[in-house]
Amino acid sequence: MSAEQLTVAVVGAGGKMGMRVSRNLQKSSHTVFYSENSPAGQDRVRAEGREITATDEAVKGADVVILAVPDTVLGVVSEGVVPQMKSGAILLTLDPAAAYAGLLAQREDVVQAVAHPCHPSVFLERTTKEEWADTFGGEGAPQNVVAAIDEDATEAAKAAAEATIRVIYAPVIDVHWVTVKQLAILEPTLVETVACMIGTLLNEALHETVHTAGVPEEAAKAMLFGHVQIALTNALRGSNPFSEACEIAIQYGKDTIIKDDWKKIFDDSELDSVIAKMLKLDAVKR
Ligand SMILES: NC(=O)c1ccc[n+]([C@@H]2O[C@H](COP(=O)([O-])OP(=O)(O)OC[C@H]3O[C@@H](n4cnc5c(N)ncnc54)[C@H](O)[C@@H]3O)[C@@H](O)[C@H]2O)c1
């Protein structure tokens, strides 16, 4: 298989990620087959000028099969797809939860890889309207990707996986290779359990400021959106020190809002438990 000219199958091509990765693959030199089982999804694929191919047909000659189906059905979909794949092909999933939970069908001669987009950095220097508009990544703004691949994958398989990853999430700055477990610590733990949770907490705090404390909404939003930028750049990049009074307010916030044992979210048992809940399983199979 040559990383420059691959045959790629997208299963779940009419879903949110399926549409995103298909749009970029369609612009590439690779040969791409699109499979989608819901009528609404099929309409979305066809509306973009892409043809639907039956899953068995799409995956059988593919060098790379991208499973863009919901995580809760990745196990059953992989059981149908993996036996149809050609020897040496790559099964690429887009989130580590199912791989971490041991849900994906295995075959000795099929390589498993997972690649999750980082999304464009909050500190990205955006200079064009297209970069500003692309908050998710994969359109105008450059982003990094974190990925994992079987330890014994050949260099050719890794190169093909990276070439595919660089197309589907383009423009890509770097692909950072880690283990599946490390990817699962990044997402959900670091970015969903912590960062996305804090994002929603900020929104709840804004709501309280406006609706309970009675501050005009425009003033509250102006103050919050500017201070979120300062809070992030000072805390994550050390741009400026927080003032002494601010440090006292930060400590009051930690004491009042955060539980003493919050760092238990980095224990393996907690990771297993949250991933089982996300995948609606009784327990992960590891
Ligand atoms: N949505 C995001 O922001 C996001 C970001 C990064 C990674 N991901 C990952 O991408 C993957 C897909 O998530 P999504 O949000 O795009 O899901 P989605 O629900 O939007 O789309 C899934 C698509 O798969 C189709 N489908 C389901 N079973 C199928 C089958 N057997 N054959 C063919 N098509 C089938 C569905 O009809 C649907 O169109 C997941 O692993 C998710 O974790 C999602």
Side-chain angles (χ1 to χ4, degrees), residues 90-94 104 111-115 148-150 161 165 177:
I90 300 162
L91 184 77
L92 178 64
T93 51
L94 308 179
L104 299 177
V111 178
Q112 302 229 343
V114 191
I149 193 163
D150 285 344
I165 291 165
W177 291 99

Side-chain angles (χ1 to χ4, degrees), residues 14 43 60 161 276 279:
D43 286 348
K60 72 178 186 202
L279 295 174

Side-chain angles (χ1 to χ4, degrees), residues 184-200 262 265-266 270-271 274 278:
I185 292 167
L186 294 174
E187 164 140 0
T189 305
L190 180 64
V191 300
E192 292 182 322
T193 303
V194 180
C196 294
M197 181 277 289
I198 288 176
T200 65
W262 76 270
I265 63 171
F266 291 99
E270 293 285 323
L271 181 61
V274 73
M278 292 169 82

